[in-house]
Amino acid sequence: MHYPISKKLGLRPLIIFFCLDLLMLFVSRVGLSLWQADRISAVDGWQTLFLQGLRIDISTLCWLFAIPLLLTCFFAANNPFGKGINWLIRLYLVASSTFIAFMELATPAFINTYDFRPNRLFVEYLNSPKEVFSMLATGHTAASLLTFIFTLILLVAFWRISGRLMQGLTYPRYVYRPFIFLLLGGLTFIGARSSFEHRAINPSMVAFSSDALVNSLVLNSSYSLGFAISQMKSEANAAELYGKMAPAEVIAIIKAAQNRPAEDYISAKYPTWTKNVASYQGRPKNLVIILEESLGAQFIGALGDKRGLSPNMDKLAQQGWWFNQLYATGTRSVRGIEAVITGFTPTPARSVVKLPLSQQHFFTIARVLKDRGYQTSFIYGGEKHFDNMASFFYGNGFEKIVDENDYPNPSFKGTWGVSDEDLFKRANHTFTQLEDQGKPFFSLVFTSSNHDPFEYPDGKITPYDKEKATRNNAAKYADYALGQFFAMAQKSNYWKNTIFLVVADHDSRVGGATLVPIKNFHIPALIIGNGITPKQDNRLVSQLDLPPTLLSLIGINSDNPMLGYDLTQERDPNRSFMQFDKTFAYRVGNKVVLLQPKEAPKGYEYDPATHKLTPADVPEKMKQQALAYALWGSYAYRSHLYPDYAK
């Protein structure tokens, strides 16, 4: 009987599955591209998308097929040991193909939420299976069910196909096998690298447009996820992504950019430690930070929204210090916590809330206040261990944590915990008790109702959308609950002694046809309380400026390492920092520098009216500042330069 060469060499299963996987990735990219056709056409990207996409797909499959190729060339045979190897090869081919299929099937839902192919977030959320699977079951039932069904169907199909392909294989004599492997292995290595340059192919080599989503569509989701995981092992070192700069130069550039008097710097060992004198010098006040989940500027009437979703916030904006141009540092809750609690600059790594070296003795304003006799707490409606919050808070100055298990009879409980109303009632009760006991207090109150799948109690608001569980309706409920809290707080015994900050952690859905969607980093922020003069602040400022400002407002003189400005001083920071996945943005006025992995800093002009970024010349000094700020966080983290106090 005549056997084709692929069958005589035992390679037929590998070749067929390679082609099947390549076809599957192509079909998926076609479907995703048709879905996002307008954005691809806007950057004239069709040809590049599919040519570079094919290159990425071949590279991905060459890496994946290296193991079964090695096993086939050296160990597969028709003897008992070789048949065992064949079974492992079959299992590997089916498992890897099923994984590729699953990742592509899961991609539309991920893009719909994050405007990217699956990346590091896909893995990080697996650390909280209870919340994640509950969210999928409640808010993404159809997508989750279809993904499961089609993945199961493909698993069965792959198993049957592999069984047929494994039949009737023959193998060459062992003496020839090394030569076969040298030839095929060499081709596989070249295909995997997809480049004869110093570096193998990577996302920056195939990125071609100003739209981050379109650039991610060039990848396949298995590659995107695998690359993100590989970057996590070196995530503490931004220099590996953005370029190197000597630590002494980083520090010198940052100090020059901060433009503070030399006498403010008080430590040779900890270069950003400064002496800070509070603008308010009376009896120290209590401090409450209300961190609003996903309540971006797009939902706020006082920031231009016309839908009437935030009547309570809009009313409060007239009663306190309202910021019209404040920008978040990131797109995750832990990034918002990092900014307002630690004042730490954003990095391409995970937030310090999750990194191992910052779980103890890392600077937070909670530590400052605890050391001054404040009772410090974190009040949350969900699970305190989510996103590693409990470990970070307990290790860095928070004495007490209230989570979903501490609400005996909540009026409403959803996927992410009790309702915002239950949360605020508990917070009000706690603050009332502490004030009666004469104890100064600091509390971080973190809401959760405005989170996918957008669950909230009935009968509280007039829905904006007909369907109940929508972003708009959840944002309106979050505003309702906030109004209920301030109605209680303004009648309370603690009101006259407390400063409140209401600020979003990040926007609800960050994305768009740009490398960094600056408009989605715009968030509301309000400082309110007895003694706060109502005003509209039009300065361009960052979340990083809030913690030093709060310490100044409540009367706490402090030595600290924060780079944010005390906004009670008559100074215009006129800058913001934004981390969008692996892209770092440094904005000064409407000039923007973007730092992307393995690329030189690039300058842009930002148009606040259209929210577009247009390539433009920016001063070289600004590019150096952007790189220094981007590198500082990683350097400070690795070198322990951001401790809770300067020894």
Side-chain angles (χ1 to χ4, degrees), residues 26-49:
F26 173 76
V27 170
S28 175
R29 186 173 287 106
V30 168
L32 294 172
S33 298
L34 292 175
W35 177 32
Q36 301 293 338
D38 290 344
R39 291 172 67 169
I40 296 170
S41 296
V43 295
D44 192 23
W46 289 97
Q47 180 177 349
T48 304
L49 173 66

Side-chain angles (χ1 to χ4, degrees), residues 375-386 388-407 426 430 443-444:
Q375 200 278 335
T376 57
S377 64
F378 172 54
I379 303 178
Y380 184 44
E383 164 56 52
K384 63 185 177 183
H385 295 291
F386 180 73
N388 201 55
M389 292 187 294
S391 173
F392 180 80
F393 288 144
Y394 278 135
N396 291 298
F398 286 82
E399 298 173 287
K400 183 178 181 181
I401 295 179
V402 174
D403 80 344
E404 63 181 354
N405 298 313
D406 298 312
Y407 297 80
R426 178 60 183 264
T430 300
S443 187
L444 172 65

Side-chain angles (χ1 to χ4, degrees), residues 335-375:
R335 189 112 277 165
I337 291 171
E338 173 186 72
V340 301
I341 298 300
T342 77
F344 196 66
T345 51
T347 70
R350 291 172 292 169
S351 161
V352 293
V353 175
K354 306 183 80 169
L355 293 176
L357 297 181
S358 49
Q359 297 308 299
Q360 288 185 319
H361 304 301
F362 195 83
F363 177 83
T364 68
I365 59 173
R367 176 71 69 187
V368 172
L369 297 175
K370 179 183 177 183
D371 290 346
R372 284 162 173 77
Y374 279 65
Q375 200 278 335

